[in-house]
Amino acid sequence: MLLDGRASVQFGGDRALWLRVSSICDRPTYDGWIWLAGYAINPTTGEALARREVFAQIAGLQINPQPTGPPGTARQTTRRRGV
């Protein structure tokens, strides 16, 4: 998931964060906001960098945006049909 300035001002500009979400926290929040727990990841390699808990606007979350890494690093989800 990509968190950038649309999710919260703390992720604006070059502070955008790729997060592999592991859970949604049940902490009370403002309407339209959410606490997410997961791992900050390197978008090029997919390597987990650090465990994070973040507070963000639900409407600004970008689930599965276009990959930004080099070709071949995106996860393949196509299915093959039996012949």
Tab-separated table of all heavy atoms in Angstrom, residues 43-45 67-76:
chain	number	residue	atom	x	y	z
A	43	PRO	N	10.390	-0.155	-2.107
A	43	PRO	CA	9.520	-0.431	-3.250
A	43	PRO	C	10.237	-1.107	-4.408
A	43	PRO	O	9.610	-1.741	-5.240
A	43	PRO	CB	9.001	0.944	-3.658
A	43	PRO	CG	9.991	1.906	-3.122
A	43	PRO	CD	10.565	1.268	-1.884
A	44	THR	N	11.542	-1.011	-4.464
A	44	THR	CA	12.293	-1.631	-5.550
A	44	THR	C	12.512	-3.119	-5.317
A	44	THR	O	12.332	-3.926	-6.213
A	44	THR	CB	13.658	-0.933	-5.731
A	44	THR	OG1	13.421	0.456	-5.940
A	44	THR	CG2	14.413	-1.500	-6.909
A	45	THR	N	12.859	-3.473	-4.077
A	45	THR	CA	13.196	-4.868	-3.774
A	45	THR	C	12.087	-5.614	-3.050
A	45	THR	O	12.093	-6.836	-3.024
A	45	THR	CB	14.455	-4.940	-2.898
A	45	THR	OG1	14.174	-4.333	-1.629
A	45	THR	CG2	15.634	-4.270	-3.568
A	67	PRO	N	3.276	-0.422	-9.910
A	67	PRO	CA	4.627	-0.602	-9.365
A	67	PRO	C	5.579	0.449	-9.912
A	67	PRO	O	5.453	0.861	-11.056
A	67	PRO	CB	5.027	-1.997	-9.839
A	67	PRO	CG	4.102	-2.329	-10.957
A	67	PRO	CD	2.853	-1.513	-10.758
A	68	THR	N	6.539	0.869	-9.071
A	68	THR	CA	7.498	1.882	-9.491
A	68	THR	C	8.891	1.308	-9.665
A	68	THR	O	9.786	1.997	-10.087
A	68	THR	CB	7.561	3.021	-8.457
A	68	THR	OG1	7.920	2.472	-7.198
A	68	THR	CG2	6.244	3.747	-8.353
A	69	GLY	N	9.079	0.045	-9.321
A	69	GLY	CA	10.395	-0.570	-9.425
A	69	GLY	C	10.714	-0.984	-10.845
A	69	GLY	O	9.918	-0.818	-11.762
A	70	PRO	N	11.906	-1.557	-11.035
A	70	PRO	CA	12.303	-2.010	-12.361
A	70	PRO	C	11.403	-3.146	-12.843
A	70	PRO	O	10.789	-3.829	-12.039
A	70	PRO	CB	13.737	-2.495	-12.165
A	70	PRO	CG	14.057	-2.400	-10.748
A	70	PRO	CD	12.926	-1.761	-10.032
A	71	PRO	N	11.316	-3.374	-14.158
A	71	PRO	CA	10.486	-4.462	-14.681
A	71	PRO	C	10.877	-5.793	-14.058
A	71	PRO	O	12.046	-6.048	-13.791
A	71	PRO	CB	10.796	-4.462	-16.180
A	71	PRO	CG	11.345	-3.106	-16.460
A	71	PRO	CD	12.007	-2.644	-15.196
A	72	GLY	N	9.875	-6.612	-13.807
A	72	GLY	CA	10.127	-7.929	-13.229
A	72	GLY	C	10.052	-7.965	-11.724
A	72	GLY	O	10.092	-9.026	-11.135
A	73	THR	N	9.913	-6.804	-11.053
A	73	THR	CA	9.839	-6.813	-9.594
A	73	THR	C	8.402	-6.857	-9.103
A	73	THR	O	8.157	-7.133	-7.950
A	73	THR	CB	10.525	-5.581	-8.975
A	73	THR	OG1	9.892	-4.411	-9.476
A	73	THR	CG2	12.007	-5.564	-9.292
A	74	ALA	N	7.444	-6.574	-9.981
A	74	ALA	CA	6.038	-6.610	-9.583
A	74	ALA	C	5.599	-8.062	-9.418
A	74	ALA	O	6.040	-8.953	-10.129
A	74	ALA	CB	5.179	-5.920	-10.627
A	75	ARG	N	4.736	-8.283	-8.475
A	75	ARG	CA	4.241	-9.613	-8.216
A	75	ARG	C	3.263	-10.025	-9.309
A	75	ARG	O	2.367	-9.270	-9.647
A	75	ARG	CB	3.524	-9.578	-6.872
A	75	ARG	CG	3.321	-10.882	-6.248
A	75	ARG	CD	2.958	-10.557	-4.841
A	75	ARG	NE	2.287	-11.648	-4.209
A	75	ARG	CZ	1.897	-11.608	-2.969
A	75	ARG	NH1	2.086	-10.515	-2.266
A	75	ARG	NH2	1.306	-12.612	-2.418
A	76	GLN	N	3.430	-11.194	-9.857
A	76	GLN	CA	2.556	-11.678	-10.916
A	76	GLN	C	1.321	-12.316	-10.298
A	76	GLN	O	1.423	-13.132	-9.385
A	76	GLN	CB	3.289	-12.711	-11.789
A	76	GLN	CG	4.494	-12.131	-12.494
A	76	GLN	CD	4.092	-11.083	-13.508
A	76	GLN	OE1	3.094	-11.227	-14.211
A	76	GLN	NE2	4.850	-10.004	-13.589
